[in-house]
Amino acid sequence: MNDCIPLIGQQMRKLVQRWFTAEPLVRYAELFIEDKLQESTKFGQLTIIHYRMFGGTEEVVYQAAAAVELFILASDILDDLQDQDAPAKVWMQVPQPAAIHVASALLTLSQQAMLECAMDSETRIALAEMMNGQILRAANGQMIDIMNEITDEQSYFDMVKQKSAALLLFACMTGVMLAGQSWHSTVAEYATEVGIAAQIQNDLRDLLRWDDKSDFLKRKRTLLTLYLIEGEAEEDRWINDYFQGKLSVDDVALNRERFREACERTGAILYGSVMSRMHYNRFEELLGSIQEASPWKSTFLQILNQETA
């Protein structure tokens, strides 16, 4: 699938050059796209795999993959602007109103590009409804995440299904439906499972960080921080006190090793690893149940394994 990555980037640039006419909008959009292409285009690749998996043969899939990646890019920009935890990203180094405007324009461009991909009105309507439905689900999940309103394990999984999993579902189902198929419930289920696995892996990564992305220092409620603050050990009471605001960042700033030790001793890290693996295993089980997936399975897993296994 590596040979499709340049084609996705090429289509992203072409769409910007065709639809954006204001020079600053073009300039910033191209700058942001170049930054994006230095990282992963796994969402677009998943669109292509599912299109081929279900019998699609046309080159239009590369524009669909570009549409998906434009939406992911816009989401990343808005997410970073909301969290203010990625100062090195290029969109964090331009005037904020410009970054917000570019993200908004990319969202609309993504939808326009997707509508152009469908060969007939029935597919076009189905794609648009699916895309908008998943985008709205992701918007709901993102709002819950922004407000930090996770209260227990169930509310965490509900948020992840709406946020992270909805975006993976969107990428996969775009390929399925563009190939002329209807909504595929098994694809939807395994996209959700792998989305949950990936989010828990992200939470594991951010649990032990001690910088702007630290979930602990930001008092962010995740599956893992909830596990920690629900602990009853007296020696870990300071963690709960910090989340309740009884301690300040300055009060815990020197507790990095103490926090790491607590994460290991309480089993929080092991718990997260087991939960992530459980959802990933369910994804693999569901993937194996789809006959069309067999020739593409190794490529599919190769794209995902780096972040979710």
Side-chain angles (χ1 to χ4, degrees):
M1 289 296 293
N2 286 339
D3 59 340
C4 76
I5 296 175
L7 295 174
I8 295 173
Q10 184 181 62
Q11 287 297 321
M12 292 171 76
R13 297 185 194 96
K14 282 185 176 180
L15 287 164
V16 164
Q17 291 162 5
R18 178 153 64 96
W19 287 100
F20 293 174
T21 58
E23 188 278 331
L25 183 57
V26 175
R27 173 162 40 90
Y28 281 134
E30 290 182 339
L31 185 65
F32 296 174
I33 286 171
E34 292 310 312
D35 186 278
K36 168 65 175 169
L37 293 175
Q38 298 303 310
E39 300 179 351
S40 168
T41 55
K42 72 173 182 179
F43 288 90
Q45 292 177 66
L46 289 176
T47 296
I48 295 169
I49 281 180
H50 283 80
Y51 180 71
R52 302 299 186 204
M53 188 187 299
F54 286 91
T57 59
E58 303 296 328
E59 297 295 299
V60 71
V61 69
Y62 297 113
Q63 178 167 317
V68 169
E69 285 294 341
L70 286 171
F71 176 79
I72 298 300
L73 172 57
S75 298
D76 287 345
I77 294 168
L78 293 173
D79 187 63
D80 287 343
L81 289 170
Q82 290 158 358
D83 293 345
Q84 291 292 308
D85 60 0
K89 301 302 293 184
V90 64
W91 43 81
M92 300 298 291
Q93 299 172 20
V94 306
Q96 188 175 97
I100 293 172
H101 183 74
V102 173
S104 300
L106 290 174
L107 289 173
T108 304
L109 180 59
S110 171
Q111 293 179 313
Q112 177 63 32
M114 189 67 74
L115 290 175
E116 293 176 352
C117 293
M119 301 297 184
D120 56 77
S121 59
E122 183 178 350
T123 302
R124 187 175 298 112
I125 292 170
L127 265 176
E129 289 181 345
M130 182 278 295
M131 181 178 187
N132 287 337
Q134 297 311 309
I135 290 173
L136 289 170
R137 285 186 69 208
N140 282 295
Q142 177 70 0
M143 192 63 184
I144 294 171
D145 191 36
I146 290 171
M147 300 305 294
N148 204 24
E149 293 184 348
I150 306 301
T151 57
D152 53 27
E153 185 177 285
Q154 186 58 53
S155 62
Y156 170 84
F157 285 116
D158 288 344
M159 181 275 293
V160 173
K161 287 177 183 178
Q162 291 183 83
K163 182 187 174 187
S164 310
L167 297 181
L168 277 166
L169 196 161
F170 161 51
C172 297
M173 202 64 69
T174 293
V176 173
M177 298 179 79
L178 192 62
Q181 305 295 317
S182 58
W183 176 274
H184 198 296
S185 59
T186 304
V187 171
E189 187 177 354
Y190 73 51
T192 299
E193 292 293 337
V194 79
I196 293 171
Q199 184 59 57
I200 297 174
Q201 283 295 311
N202 288 343
D203 292 345
L204 279 166
R205 179 195 64 204
D206 292 342
L207 179 66
L208 298 178
R209 295 183 68 142
W210 212 253
D211 55 18
D212 290 340
K213 284 186 173 291
S214 166
D215 285 344
F216 172 69
L217 293 179
K218 292 191 299 182
R219 297 187 177 94
K220 185 173 182 180
R221 293 178 176 271
T222 70
L223 185 68
L224 308 178
T225 57
L226 285 173
Y227 182 91
L228 283 168
I229 63 180
E230 290 172 358
E232 298 180 355
E234 183 65 30
E235 60 190 310
D236 299 327
R237 186 176 297 276
W238 67 277
I239 295 175
N240 199 355
D241 288 345
Y242 177 69
F243 267 81
Q244 291 182 10
K246 296 178 182 179
L247 297 175
S248 69
V249 173
D250 290 339
D251 291 329
V252 302
L254 299 179
N255 287 5
R256 182 175 188 175
E257 289 306 315
R258 186 182 179 190
F259 180 71
R260 179 184 294 274
E261 187 274 331
C263 290
E264 294 175 352
R265 173 172 42 77
T266 61
I269 296 174
L270 177 61
Y271 170 64
S273 298
V274 170
M275 292 297 287
S276 177
R277 174 52 65 177
M278 182 180 72
H279 286 282
Y280 188 83
N281 288 346
R282 176 57 178 160
F283 149 70
E284 287 194 309
E285 179 185 341
L286 290 164
L287 180 64
S289 72
I290 298 179
Q291 184 176 358
E292 295 91 341
S294 182
W296 297 95
K297 184 175 180 179
S298 61
T299 305
F300 196 164
L301 297 181
Q302 184 179 357
I303 293 171
L304 294 173
N305 275 346
Q306 185 175 358
E307 298 184 31
T308 59

